[in-house]
Amino acid sequence: MTNIKEIAQFAGVSVSTVSRVLNNHPYVSPDKRESVLQAIDRLNYSRNINAIHLSKGKTNLIGIIIPFTNHPYYGAIVHGITKQANAIGCHIVIFETHYEREKEIQALNMLQMKQLDGIIVCSRISEMKVLLEYQKYGPIILCEDTAQAELSSISIDHYAAFSCALEYVIAKGYKKIGYSLGRKKSRNSFLRTKAFNDIMRNHQLINNKEWQFEGSYHIKDGEQLFQEWNSMMDKPEAIIITNDDTAAGFILTAKKSGITVPNDVAILGFNNDSLSEMLDITTISLPLEWIGKMAVDLFENPEVIKHVKLDYALIKRKSV
Amino acid sequence: MTNIKEIAQFAGVSVSTVSRVLNNHPYVSPDKRESVLQAIDRLNYSRNINAIHLSKGKTNLIGIIIPFTNHPYYGAIVHGITKQANAIGCHIVIFETHYEREKEIQALNMLQMKQLDGIIVCSRISEMKVLLEYQKYGPIILCEDTAQAELSSISIDHYAAFSCALEYVIAKGYKKIGYSLGRKKSRNSFLRTKAFNDIMRNHQLINNKEWQFEGSYHIKDGEQLFQEWNSMMDKPEAIIITNDDTAAGFILTAKKSGITVPNDVAILGFNNDSLSEMLDITTISLPLEWIGKMAVDLFENPEVIKHVKLDYALIKRKSV
DNA sequence: TCTTGCTCTGAAATGGGTTTCATACGGTAC
DNA sequence: GTACCGTATGAAACCCATTTCAGAGCAAGA
């Protein structure tokens, strides 16, 4: 492999001058620039980026912590991140964690060891305390509704979004209402649960713990959810499912058993995936790609810790 | 940032010894090892991985070239790659190309500049010639049915898989058969087209160019495809759609117009996504995760160029 | 006793850039 | 004429770890 030194020799200049040409610095005379360029061409030179990384102390690599790659919700966020990251000359490294602590630590260690310039956390299992420890090694952006002042975050107001969904279901006349979340212990779920409790109390409706489910991520989970619902003696009349895929799974499975939506049970989804459009599922539309874009923006300005909230929208269709 | 030199000083040894401790080399006396370990702990040292990359000439990073991240087909492959890559201590960098040449070149350049140890190409637009030029910089693995001897590949026998699908449709008594591909110009599509032509000829069935579509990737494309189909005077009775998502979109849209499957039109999908299971779509199951795993295996053994073929399976359900 | 061989250690070379600093030169303002 | 500034350039320091090489010490076998 040819290196900068050989180029310098070949071109009859110093390595500094070669470096200047390579980085488009001013103060290089046209003829020297030309001869360097020629040397590069002749010797078929290409820079060793690891040396640059070492020297500059940065890699233009952003780590993304997500539980699953293969999922519309995170897929959309990752897509947004990728687009914006590319726009600022960065690439992304995916850490698919399946909510294993160890995997998250791996990513954080790469930040510490300077292989990553920053990390965007889409969803996590590690305690906030852990993230804060690693903050000194580079910007960590959270895609969650955090109250943590020390880390920038971008999120949807999940309390408000869930409230909006619930109020709509209630306004439609349903009284026995359940919901299904991803993981109960996440920040998002905490806020959604709180919204549910508050609003049900306000309307003096029954808050039945049996109608509260979790583990809704994929289509198949909707099948499972339907089985659970179907086997209950006392069934909720409406379920808010925080994920269109699962909602779709529920509805499609229900149909096979002759249960129709919204006649037998109303379903309200989240995300506004194209699948929900196809199946006419009433849903809350979330600006997922935009979350990704904003996360990168926050990464770019690490000196200002900000907490950005994005808007949501109720998409009225036919499942409620 | 503390570095290895400071650790050496603090521990009263040479940098070589520190490096030996760090890398678990033998031939370090227990007491020196101990004092190095203590120094590391005291000074809160962490290695600069970029220096290691520079020194070792590798980064344990594998690039993945895919057109879309947000898609079940590629999602499954990426998932398989990620799993196996992690197993061998590598991480992955995603290049979402949307079939833009420039993006693919970006990835290849990162291979050249040694930021990547290798590249797995899931689908591409660049000519083979271009890939071959970059081969000297590191292993390039193709997830396609290539005849190219110089690059390792992992693929499904798309000719056979498509043949299997078509023979099944024919055996079911359909005569007017169409199909829909992703991009017509891809290697996979070439083989599928060839299979179609050969078999239709064998069975002396009409090969109507108007019944051959492309651009089928997402659910929404299925909606579009249905509109096209529906507006035809002379409609095919069966369509093989090389993508379950699009097949699902077709079927769901059809249902809204009162067209039922397979009575009015038979649909055969590809991939065996969970969505196809939900909708009882007859499909060809492809071992996508396994492709990912095998791709990493091939990456690991770059000295032997291999062309691995994986099996497929016809999943009979109710849409044909 | 001498040779061989293993354990242990550090100096120095290596990987390959970026950046600072010192210097030199030509031109302009006063 | 002198002071000052912008352009141009190279030497050397710096980023940080790995690895080779050479040598020292010590024990076992001949």
Side-chain angles (χ1 to χ4, degrees):
Chain A
M1 281 289 89
T2 60
N3 58 26
I4 202 176
K5 217 166 157 183
E6 294 177 40
I7 298 297
Q9 249 164 26
F10 192 93
V13 299
S14 71
V15 291
S16 328
T17 300
V18 177
S19 178
R20 287 193 188 97
V21 173
L22 252 20
N23 293 288
N24 270 315
H25 282 307
Y27 303 157
V28 177
S29 66
D31 53 331
K32 298 225 170 186
R33 167 166 274 122
E34 188 47 41
S35 65
V36 168
L37 255 21
Q38 270 187 26
I40 288 173
D41 195 50
R42 287 284 158 69
L43 302 182
N44 193 23
Y45 167 74
S46 69
R47 287 199 264 189
N48 183 325
I49 211 159
N50 292 131
I52 299 177
H53 290 336
L54 171 60
S55 194
K56 294 211 172 169
K58 53 176 255 181
T59 58
N60 297 323
L61 244 36
I62 303 173
I64 303 184
I65 292 182
I66 46 171
F68 320 109
T69 51
N70 207 351
H71 189 276
Y73 181 87
Y74 296 109
I77 296 183
V78 168
H79 191 241
I81 294 175
T82 306
K83 240 157 99 175
Q84 186 62 13
N86 287 351
I88 63 166
C90 286
H91 287 284
I92 61 167
V93 183
I94 301 278
F95 295 85
E96 186 178 26
T97 64
H98 298 277
Y99 290 122
E100 290 164 29
R101 272 195 179 67
E102 203 191 319
K103 291 271 173 66
E104 297 186 5
I105 297 296
Q106 249 181 51
L108 292 165
N109 280 336
M110 281 175 69
L111 179 66
Q112 178 176 9
M113 300 200 298
K114 291 164 173 291
Q115 186 160 15
L116 302 174
D117 288 352
I119 288 183
I120 295 173
V121 181
C122 296
S123 186
R124 67 189 163 95
I125 179 97
S126 303
E127 288 75 20
M128 183 62 79
K129 200 183 68 184
V130 176
L131 297 186
L132 290 173
E133 274 174 39
Y134 280 90
Q135 196 193 4
K136 57 173 174 269
Y137 302 116
I140 298 176
I141 312 297
L142 293 174
C143 296
E144 67 181 30
D145 192 341
T146 180
Q148 200 69 36
E150 295 94 329
L151 295 178
S152 278
S153 72
I154 166 78
S155 66
I156 286 138
D157 186 339
H158 283 291
Y159 184 94
F162 196 92
S163 301
C164 166
L166 183 52
E167 291 283 12
Y168 179 71
V169 171
I170 292 171
K172 281 280 189 171
Y174 297 96
K175 303 216 179 299
K176 299 166 68 175
I177 305 169
Y179 63 88
S180 179
L181 305 171
R183 300 173 305 149
K184 276 197 179 145
K185 56 221 141 114
S186 79
R187 174 82 191 159
N188 291 357
S189 294
F190 169 78
L191 292 165
R192 286 163 167 171
T193 303
K194 186 161 177 347
F196 187 84
N197 293 340
D198 290 353
I199 287 171
M200 293 300 270
R201 195 181 327 107
N202 284 353
H203 288 270
Q204 299 178 317
L205 293 171
I206 312 158
N207 187 335
N208 187 339
K209 297 290 170 206
E210 293 210 343
W211 297 341
Q212 293 160 15
F213 309 88
E214 68 174 331
S216 299
Y217 299 106
H218 305 285
I219 288 195
K220 287 292 239 173
D221 300 326
E223 185 174 354
Q224 166 87 29
L225 183 60
F226 172 76
Q227 308 299 5
E228 279 186 62
W229 176 84
N230 202 29
S231 66
M232 293 178 116
M233 291 294 291
D234 187 20
K235 300 178 172 64
E237 308 158 348
I239 310 177
I240 297 173
I241 302 176
T242 59
N243 175 320
D244 278 341
D245 258 22
T246 306
F250 186 102
I251 291 171
L252 292 170
T253 312
K255 207 169 280 179
K256 289 183 192 173
S257 306
I259 305 282
T260 62
V261 171
N263 301 330
D264 300 313
V265 56
I267 296 293
L268 191 147
F270 264 75
N271 298 358
N272 193 26
D273 289 342
S274 35
L275 186 52
S276 72
E277 189 183 340
M278 279 290 161
L279 292 171
D280 279 321
I281 300 174
T282 295
T283 190
I284 300 283
S285 164
L286 304 178
L288 298 177
E289 275 199 31
W290 202 253
I291 288 186
K293 184 213 174 313
M294 291 301 298
V296 175
D297 287 347
L298 292 173
F299 159 80
E300 256 196 296
N301 301 299
E303 58 285 350
V304 277
I305 304 298
K306 269 205 272 188
H307 300 282
V308 181
K309 287 248 156 100
L310 294 179
D311 236 359
Y312 53 89
L314 174 66
I315 312 286
K316 296 178 192 177
R317 288 198 275 243
K318 298 178 183 161
S319 66
V320 175
Chain B
M1 280 287 88
T2 61
N3 58 26
I4 202 177
K5 217 166 160 183
E6 294 177 41
I7 298 296
Q9 248 164 26
F10 190 93
V13 299
S14 72
V15 292
S16 328
T17 302
V18 177
S19 178
R20 285 191 190 100
V21 173
L22 252 20
N23 293 288
N24 270 316
H25 283 307
Y27 303 156
V28 178
S29 66
D31 53 331
K32 298 225 171 188
R33 166 166 273 122
E34 188 48 39
S35 64
V36 168
L37 255 22
Q38 270 187 25
I40 287 173
D41 195 48
R42 287 286 156 70
L43 301 183
N44 192 25
Y45 167 74
S46 69
R47 288 199 263 188
N48 183 324
I49 211 161
N50 292 131
I52 299 177
H53 290 336
L54 171 59
S55 194
K56 294 209 170 170
K58 54 177 251 180
T59 57
N60 297 321
L61 244 35
I62 303 173
I64 304 183
I65 292 182
I66 46 171
F68 321 109
T69 52
N70 206 352
H71 189 274
Y73 181 86
Y74 296 108
I77 295 183
V78 169
H79 191 241
I81 294 175
T82 306
K83 239 157 101 176
Q84 186 63 13
N86 287 351
I88 64 166
C90 286
H91 287 285
I92 61 167
V93 183
I94 302 277
F95 294 84
E96 187 178 24
T97 63
H98 298 277
Y99 289 122
E100 290 163 29
R101 272 197 179 67
E102 202 192 319
K103 292 272 172 66
E104 297 185 6
I105 297 296
Q106 248 180 49
L108 292 165
N109 280 335
M110 282 176 67
L111 178 66
Q112 179 176 9
M113 300 200 297
K114 290 167 175 288
Q115 186 160 15
L116 301 174
D117 288 352
I119 287 184
I120 295 172
V121 181
C122 296
S123 187
R124 68 188 162 94
I125 179 97
S126 303
E127 288 75 19
M128 184 62 80
K129 199 183 70 187
V130 176
L131 297 185
L132 290 174
E133 273 174 38
Y134 281 89
Q135 196 193 5
K136 57 173 174 273
Y137 302 116
I140 297 176
I141 312 297
L142 293 175
C143 296
E144 66 179 34
D145 192 340
T146 180
Q148 201 69 36
E150 295 94 330
L151 294 178
S152 278
S153 73
I154 167 78
S155 66
I156 286 138
D157 186 338
H158 283 290
Y159 184 94
F162 195 93
S163 300
C164 167
L166 182 53
E167 292 283 12
Y168 179 72
V169 171
I170 293 171
K172 280 280 188 170
Y174 297 95
K175 303 215 181 301
K176 296 166 68 177
I177 304 170
Y179 62 88
S180 178
L181 306 170
R183 298 174 305 151
K184 275 196 179 147
K185 54 219 141 122
S186 80
R187 175 81 190 159
N188 292 356
S189 294
F190 169 78
L191 292 165
R192 286 164 166 170
T193 302
K194 186 163 180 344
F196 187 85
N197 292 341
D198 290 355
I199 289 171
M200 292 299 270
R201 195 183 326 108
N202 285 353
H203 287 271
Q204 298 178 317
L205 293 171
I206 312 158
N207 187 335
N208 188 339
K209 296 291 169 205
E210 292 211 343
W211 298 341
Q212 294 161 15
F213 309 88
E214 70 174 329
S216 299
Y217 299 106
H218 305 284
I219 288 194
K220 286 291 241 173
D221 300 326
E223 186 176 351
Q224 165 86 31
L225 182 60
F226 172 76
Q227 309 298 6
E228 279 186 62
W229 175 84
N230 201 30
S231 66
M232 293 179 116
M233 291 295 290
D234 185 20
K235 299 179 171 64
E237 309 159 348
I239 309 178
I240 296 174
I241 302 176
T242 59
N243 174 321
D244 278 341
D245 258 23
T246 305
F250 186 103
I251 291 172
L252 292 171
T253 312
K255 208 170 279 177
K256 290 185 192 174
S257 306
I259 305 283
T260 62
V261 171
N263 301 330
D264 299 314
V265 57
I267 296 293
L268 191 146
F270 264 76
N271 297 1
N272 193 25
D273 290 342
S274 34
L275 185 53
S276 72
E277 189 183 340
M278 278 290 161
L279 292 172
D280 280 320
I281 300 175
T282 295
T283 189
I284 302 283
S285 163
L286 305 177
L288 299 177
E289 275 200 32
W290 201 253
I291 288 186
K293 184 212 174 314
M294 291 301 297
V296 175
D297 287 347
L298 292 174
F299 159 81
E300 255 195 295
N301 301 298
E303 58 285 349
V304 277
I305 304 297
K306 268 204 274 189
H307 300 282
V308 181
K309 287 247 157 101
L310 293 179
D311 235 359
Y312 55 90
L314 174 66
I315 312 286
K316 296 177 190 175
R317 287 200 277 245
K318 297 176 185 162
S319 66
V320 175

